[in-house]
Amino acid sequence: MHLIADAVLLAARQHGEHGAVARALTREYGVQPGYVRGGRSRMLRPVLQPGNLLRGEWRARTAEQLPALTVEMLHSRAALHAEPLAAAAIAWVTALTAIALPEAQPYPHLYDGLDGVLTAIESAPSARLWAGAVVRFELLLLAELGFGLDLERCVVTGRADDLAYVSPRSGGAVSRAAALGYESKLLRLPDFLLKGGQPDGSAIGQGFALTGHFLTRDILTERRAEPLPARARLVDAVKRAVA
């Protein structure tokens, strides 16, 4: 095995006294793990921060062996880890990607989406301007893993107008008229997921509730549920910030 690719670092954990095992998402080769010699050193610790864009080189003699990984910094987002809300968002989207995706399966749309949401977090001056991007990334991840929501037409009437809710069972959109009398049993569908634009605080909360339901039901089950408390803390902090 010998791979060279640009990658978004998803996670790094200590391995032995000086090394680290890193997981990174590449566009062409999906999630790739690797052992970084000296990964706990003062020089490499700032490089092995989730969200950083790296150029990685993976080498292994056999398919079963954990590859040795050398990294070169392309773009650092390490400074954002000093900002609590941005750090929580980066930690969540990278942890979600790391835990949800199988290794070595390419997901180019997710790679582009992750880089896009990280850029939004980095560039926007407030959570109000990037929280919608986090929701959209969660929707994209659901779709790429085969759990996409059908937000094109009402699951009851087949019409494409006045969509306002989502069925928590089918993941299909429901129009306002078809939902009459059943609103409390449905999830709200915020307009920004249909029409784009900048969501307000209420719409951001609705978006997180929508994606959170399906992430919890379909992807973050059993051992994969570990990062859910971090998501809950992020959502609460974002709601306070955009209120």
Side-chain angles (χ1 to χ4, degrees), residues 71-170:
V71 294
E72 172 191 351
M73 179 76 80
L74 295 180
H75 179 70
S76 174
R77 297 185 174 103
L80 293 174
H81 290 272
E83 302 176 20
L85 199 50
I90 292 172
W92 162 243
V93 295
T94 53
L96 172 63
T97 305
I99 207 165
L101 298 189
E103 291 181 1
Q105 298 295 317
Y107 291 93
H109 296 305
L110 274 177
Y111 177 87
D112 294 340
L114 179 60
D115 187 59
V117 74
L118 291 170
T119 298
I121 295 167
E122 181 180 21
S123 304
S126 70
R128 184 183 295 276
L129 299 178
W130 54 251
V134 175
V135 174
R136 292 187 184 98
F137 177 73
E138 292 178 339
L139 274 180
L140 175 63
L141 185 137
L142 283 163
E144 288 289 300
L145 293 180
F147 301 104
L149 309 188
D150 182 2
L151 305 182
E152 298 294 325
R153 297 182 180 277
C154 175
V155 71
V156 179
T157 66
R159 295 175 60 88
D161 58 309
D162 201 25
L163 303 178
Y165 297 90
V166 174
S167 166
R169 291 187 178 182
S170 70

Side-chain angles (χ1 to χ4, degrees), residues 7-230:
V8 177
L9 189 78
L10 303 178
R13 59 178 176 83
Q14 184 173 350
H15 186 82
E17 187 175 352
H18 303 292
V21 174
R23 289 169 60 81
L25 178 64
T26 70
R27 199 173 196 278
E28 299 87 355
Y29 310 108
V31 174
Q32 293 289 337
Y35 174 74
V36 183
R37 185 182 298 274
R40 301 294 298 173
S41 69
R42 183 179 301 178
M43 182 178 67
L44 284 179
R45 276 201 305 268
V47 177
L48 296 181
Q49 290 287 330
N52 283 350
L53 181 62
L54 311 173
R55 177 157 296 141
E57 182 172 4
W58 290 262
R59 290 180 179 271
R61 293 180 179 179
T62 68
E64 294 76 21
Q65 181 183 20
L66 179 66
L69 170 60
T70 57
V71 294
E72 172 191 351
M73 179 76 80
L74 295 180
H75 179 70
S76 174
R77 297 185 174 103
L80 293 174
H81 290 272
E83 302 176 20
L85 199 50
I90 292 172
W92 162 243
V93 295
T94 53
L96 172 63
T97 305
I99 207 165
L101 298 189
E103 291 181 1
Q105 298 295 317
Y107 291 93
H109 296 305
L110 274 177
Y111 177 87
D112 294 340
L114 179 60
D115 187 59
V117 74
L118 291 170
T119 298
I121 295 167
E122 181 180 21
S123 304
S126 70
R128 184 183 295 276
L129 299 178
W130 54 251
V134 175
V135 174
R136 292 187 184 98
F137 177 73
E138 292 178 339
L139 274 180
L140 175 63
L141 185 137
L142 283 163
E144 288 289 300
L145 293 180
F147 301 104
L149 309 188
D150 182 2
L151 305 182
E152 298 294 325
R153 297 182 180 277
C154 175
V155 71
V156 179
T157 66
R159 295 175 60 88
D161 58 309
D162 201 25
L163 303 178
Y165 297 90
V166 174
S167 166
R169 291 187 178 182
S170 70
V174 181
S175 69
R176 204 176 306 274
L180 191 63
Y182 297 93
E183 293 91 342
S184 64
K185 298 181 179 180
L186 301 171
L187 299 163
R188 289 299 305 269
L189 174 57
D191 279 347
F192 79 95
L193 294 180
L194 298 174
K195 303 173 184 177
Q198 189 60 50
D200 60 17
S202 176
I204 290 169
Q206 292 168 4
F208 275 125
L210 176 64
T211 53
H213 171 80
F214 293 101
L215 286 172
T216 302
R217 188 191 73 177
D218 297 325
I219 294 176
L220 300 178
T221 58
E222 299 177 351
R223 287 184 299 174
R224 286 184 171 185
E226 181 181 344
L228 279 175

